[in-house]
Amino acid sequence: MKFMKLGSKPHSFQTDGNKVRCVATELATDIVIHVGNVKFYLHKFPLLSKSARLQKLVSSSDEGNSDEILIHDIPGGSSAFEICAKFCYGMTVTLNAYNVVAARCAAEYLEMHETIEKGNLIYKVDVFLNSSIFRSWKDSIIVLQTTNSLLPLSEELKLINHCIDAIASKASVDVSRVDWSYTYNRRKLPEENGNDHSWDGVRRRMVPNDWWVEDLCDLEIELYKRVIVTIKTKGIISNEVIGEALKAYAYRKLPGSSKDVMQYNYFSKLRPLLDTIFYLLPAEKGSVSCSFLLKLLKAAISLNSGEMVKEELIKKIGQQLEEASVNDLLIRAREGEPSVYDVQPVQKILEEFMMQDQNAKTEIGNEDEIQEIRRQGILSEASKLMVAELIDGYVAEIAKDPNLPLSVFIGIAEMVSSFSRPVHDGLYGSIDTYLKVHPGISKSERKRICRLFDCKKLSADACMHAVQNERLPLRVVVQVLFFEQVRASASSGSSTPDLPKAIKDLNRASYGSSRSATTNADEDWDAMASAAELRALRGEVAALRVENGVVHERNYGDNKINSDKAAISKMKGLITSKKIFSKKWSSKSGQATENSGSDSSESLGSTNLDEAKSMTIRRGRQSVT
């Protein structure tokens, strides 16, 4: 820290209690100055020779009271006046970053200008500020902090502007010219701890671009805002570094910004702070992380900030939603709400993300512009896949809420249904969680929620789980079993044949006229599978897997004909498993249902047998793993 000593005479101020100051000299004092609740017993000559204001006060006072002056509004109070008084006496006084602004403002108040005496206090303080304080990074920050208690005079004297300019200029200097003190945000290097005996004392570590961000976190929000605006105006610091600075400040000043709900007593203090941080956010996409934006949104919701702030944050988040995590999206509902999480902001964020494609298609005219937008990620399929997987994880978490309406769950899941995903395991898991937590939903609701996932896109493990899942409608269990068997029947598991018409009919809400069944039969298929039915299905899958292993061992040594026979054998097993449910399929349905069962078996036995056989011949001797 820089400092300056003024005067050469020894200190001779004495204190008689906390409210009395006097000068220990043989000459009796002839003036009493009241500064606040402190009395100073001093001499007129040294004071009046350097202060024009004291001259006026003494001359304008009543003759009977000329020896006693009242000063109640001097900046810096009694401590600042004492510095000025010591300077008038020529006593030694030390100026530093903590008291220099108070001394400067008090000297201005007392009118200690050069016109009164050469080398007066105002001149000496200004020299110290310009030659030392404003050239020091940390001293400039300390001085700026002290100006708040000395308003408005510190503003009128442009001390705040000088500090801000000095800080902004130093923050904008090229890092190669920065002598960083490594004060914050790192541990000492081994050589600095004395553990490296080969260290020659020369620091070679690169200075990071954001070396200054945490030093500014001690500033009050209004001063911080002015510093950041000045730094941005210079146009040297990147938006990413500005964003990092705002993130560091928010984490320091918003106690609970990393939590979901803030305490009420913070509201009046923190709402203006949050609004200012939002105002300072760079407009460019990617300047701040999506996680930080979501924390700001949670804080804005908790602090009940203005709708404009929340809407703009939602818009920014939607533009880079693929960067978020599931925990980032979990926004706790307000106290008293029946639901655990507030899902409405997430729906708006997702809508904003979905609008990017629409806006890009309407605003872009030529192919070159479309390619550029794709390169930037607006139309990126990878971004869509990441968001789809993110929402799968999100709905799996909110599905644990027993008060979550089915329409809300389905509404969020359907918003990303157009995004292609190679695997639907995550979506299936979230649906299973919802069914487990909400056992009382109706058959039609189970049927509706199960339409969200595609049986063809379940992994082998997910298929095995689904076949044993008593919470699923029987229709879904049969579909899953079919795809598992057809996948196993092929020589390679990389693709799945199309569903036969009979199984396709199970996907529809109603059947065609040639395969119509009674209402009761349809309800049977939509009912949950019983334990006995699931055991039968598991037996089929287990038998199929065992047979599959034997067949593939044989395929490695036999010719293509053996592979064809294996495929035929597996497809016969498929027909057998379908007959397990003949009672369900034909109960109360009469002759029409028997025809339907016959058609289904015929479709399963003919259509897919030919498909499986042709695939087996085409793909050669590959084994299913």
Side-chain angles (χ1 to χ4, degrees):
M1 180 182 293
K2 305 291 184 180
F3 65 92
M4 181 176 71
K5 285 189 176 182
L6 300 175
S8 58
K9 295 180 182 180
H11 180 275
S12 58
F13 262 61
Q14 294 181 348
T15 301
D16 184 8
N18 294 327
K19 298 183 178 181
V20 176
R21 304 285 190 276
C22 60
V23 180
T25 62
E26 297 178 357
L27 186 64
T29 59
D30 55 1
I31 188 172
V32 179
I33 301 178
H34 296 262
V35 182
N37 58 355
V38 180
K39 291 182 180 180
F40 288 87
Y41 292 87
L42 306 171
H43 303 88
K44 289 182 180 179
F45 174 73
L47 297 177
L48 301 186
S49 64
K50 290 182 172 59
S51 172
R53 189 181 187 90
L54 289 177
Q55 292 177 10
K56 297 172 186 176
L57 290 173
V58 170
S59 62
S60 63
S61 61
D62 297 338
E63 292 185 3
N65 296 327
S66 60
D67 295 339
E68 195 162 345
I69 298 174
L70 301 178
I71 301 177
H72 294 292
D73 56 348
I74 184 171
S78 58
S79 59
F81 178 81
E82 185 173 338
I83 292 174
C84 296
K86 288 179 179 180
F87 175 80
C88 292
Y89 278 94
M91 298 178 186
T92 302
V93 59
T94 301
L95 295 179
N96 55 44
Y98 291 100
N99 62 14
V100 66
V101 175
R104 177 64 179 84
C105 291
E108 186 70 24
Y109 177 88
L110 295 172
E111 300 178 14
M112 302 175 72
H113 299 286
E114 289 294 283
T115 56
I116 303 299
E117 184 178 87
K118 290 292 183 181
N120 212 340
L121 183 57
I122 289 178
Y123 170 76
K124 291 186 179 294
V125 171
D126 285 344
V127 169
F128 177 53
L129 287 169
N130 293 320
S131 64
S132 298
I133 294 296
F134 294 149
R135 294 187 178 185
S136 169
W137 166 255
K138 289 194 174 179
D139 286 346
S140 297
I141 295 174
I142 294 171
V143 167
L144 184 58
Q145 288 176 290
T146 64
T147 59
N148 249 353
S149 60
L150 297 165
L151 293 170
L153 189 54
S154 61
E155 188 74 73
E156 295 172 3
L157 297 175
K158 299 188 182 301
L159 294 174
I160 295 179
N161 286 341
H162 288 317
C163 286
I164 290 173
D165 287 338
I167 293 170
S169 297
K170 288 176 176 59
S172 303
V173 167
D174 188 272
V175 293
S176 62
R177 298 168 53 194
V178 176
D179 183 20
W180 193 38
S181 63
Y182 294 100
T183 304
Y184 295 102
N185 221 13
R186 64 143 201 140
R187 296 178 179 177
K188 283 188 175 182
L189 299 175
E191 60 267 20
E192 295 172 332
N193 287 324
N195 298 330
D196 188 355
H197 300 291
S198 63
W199 186 48
D200 58 3
V202 179
R203 183 168 55 207
R204 297 183 176 86
R205 191 179 180 189
M206 290 289 294
V207 177
N209 291 326
D210 61 348
W211 62 269
W212 51 270
V213 300
E214 294 198 38
D215 288 331
L216 299 185
C217 290
D218 295 326
L219 296 174
E220 292 300 320
I221 185 60
E222 286 302 319
L223 293 175
Y224 183 82
K225 174 183 177 181
R226 294 175 62 177
V227 171
I228 295 298
V229 168
T230 306
I231 291 175
K232 293 171 71 174
T233 302
K234 291 183 179 295
I236 298 175
I237 300 298
S238 67
N239 290 319
E240 288 75 13
V241 177
I242 296 293
E244 194 63 29
L246 295 174
K247 178 180 177 180
Y249 191 84
Y251 281 14
R252 178 80 66 88
K253 295 294 184 178
L254 289 176
S257 63
S258 59
K259 300 177 183 179
D260 293 326
V261 180
M262 291 188 178
Q263 299 297 323
Y264 179 79
N265 56 355
Y266 285 119
F267 282 19
S268 60
K269 177 182 177 181
L270 298 182
R271 190 181 295 120
L273 189 150
L274 177 65
D275 292 345
T276 301
I277 293 175
F278 166 76
Y279 166 79
L280 294 172
L281 287 174
E284 290 74 15
K285 174 184 174 182
S287 300
V288 293
S289 67
C290 189
S291 177
F292 175 55
L293 290 173
L294 279 160
K295 284 181 172 60
L296 290 181
L297 178 61
K298 292 176 183 180
I301 293 172
S302 298
L303 295 172
N304 198 23
S305 295
E307 289 300 318
M308 187 273 291
V309 173
K310 289 184 280 191
E311 288 174 4
E312 287 299 317
L313 284 172
I314 286 173
K315 184 175 181 180
K316 287 179 177 289
I317 294 167
Q319 292 174 352
Q320 52 193 90
L321 181 58
E322 66 273 11
E323 302 172 10
S325 67
V326 173
N327 286 334
D328 293 333
L329 293 178
L330 295 176
I331 302 174
R332 303 287 295 187
R334 289 183 177 274
E335 188 175 353
E337 294 290 333
S339 298
V340 177
Y341 297 108
D342 185 1
V343 300
Q344 187 176 13
V346 179
Q347 288 176 311
K348 293 181 179 179
I349 291 170
L350 199 51
E351 288 172 359
E352 184 64 38
F353 180 83
M354 302 288 288
M355 286 176 60
Q356 293 181 84
D357 276 350
Q358 300 175 9
N359 294 339
K361 291 175 182 177
T362 57
E363 295 175 5
I364 297 173
N366 57 59
E367 184 64 25
D368 292 339
E369 292 177 338
I370 294 176
Q371 293 300 326
E372 177 64 18
I373 293 297
R374 283 177 175 162
R375 186 185 64 81
Q376 295 176 2
I378 295 179
L379 299 177
S380 170
E381 293 300 325
S383 296
K384 294 180 182 179
L385 176 59
M386 293 169 67
V387 170
E389 293 177 347
L390 172 67
I391 298 303
D392 286 350
Y394 175 73
V395 295
E397 286 297 320
I398 64 174
K400 300 174 184 176
D401 180 4
N403 295 318
L404 180 69
L406 178 66
S407 59
V408 174
F409 179 90
I410 293 178
I412 296 178
E414 284 182 339
M415 291 181 75
V416 294
S417 59
S418 62
F419 296 169
S420 177
R421 282 161 283 182
V423 179
H424 277 198
D425 286 12
L427 185 57
Y428 166 73
S430 64
I431 292 170
D432 182 55
T433 301
Y434 190 89
L435 294 175
K436 186 185 302 182
V437 177
H438 304 78
I441 66 174
S442 64
K443 294 178 182 179
S444 60
E445 289 175 330
R446 289 177 185 274
K447 185 177 175 182
R448 182 183 174 194
I449 195 174
C450 287
R451 289 199 190 105
L452 291 173
F453 72 92
D454 187 349
C455 297
K456 291 185 288 186
K457 293 186 177 182
L458 294 182
S459 68
D461 291 338
C463 286
M464 285 301 297
H465 184 278
V467 169
Q468 303 173 67
N469 193 343
E470 297 181 4
R471 290 178 287 274
L472 297 179
L474 186 59
R475 176 194 306 271
V476 176
V477 176
V478 172
Q479 288 175 320
V480 172
L481 176 62
F482 167 76
F483 284 118
E484 178 68 8
Q485 290 180 320
V486 171
R487 177 159 48 191
S489 71
S491 60
S492 173
S494 59
S495 63
T496 303
D498 291 335
L499 277 168
K501 190 176 187 304
I503 302 299
K504 285 180 180 178
D505 287 340
L506 293 177
N507 262 334
R508 300 192 184 100
S510 61
Y511 304 132
S513 58
S514 62
R515 299 177 184 273
S516 61
T518 64
T519 303
N520 290 336
D522 190 48
E523 290 178 357
D524 286 339
W525 277 111
D526 292 334
M528 289 183 291
S530 66
E533 291 162 349
L534 290 176
R535 282 196 298 271
L537 289 173
R538 285 198 295 270
E540 285 293 324
V541 174
L544 178 65
R545 290 184 180 275
V546 171
E547 180 190 356
N548 215 22
V550 174
V551 169
H552 286 305
E553 288 179 7
R554 188 168 63 248
N555 281 348
Y556 278 103
D558 294 343
N559 55 25
K560 191 183 299 183
I561 298 175
N562 289 334
S563 178
D564 294 345
K565 290 180 179 180
I568 294 171
S569 175
K570 293 169 195 170
M571 295 310 296
K572 288 180 179 179
L574 174 61
I575 298 170
T576 303
S577 66
K578 184 68 182 75
K579 291 179 180 179
I580 294 175
F581 301 101
S582 58
K583 291 183 180 180
K584 285 251 182 216
W585 186 254
S586 58
S587 62
K588 305 178 184 180
S589 61
Q591 185 63 35
T593 308
E594 291 179 6
N595 293 337
S596 175
S598 176
D599 291 346
S600 298
S601 298
E602 184 179 314
S603 175
L604 291 172
S606 60
T607 305
N608 282 279
L609 181 58
D610 294 337
E611 290 181 9
K613 184 174 180 179
S614 63
M615 281 192 299
T616 305
I617 296 173
R618 182 171 62 252
R619 292 173 182 169
R621 305 179 185 277
Q622 299 179 9
S623 63
V624 179
T625 58

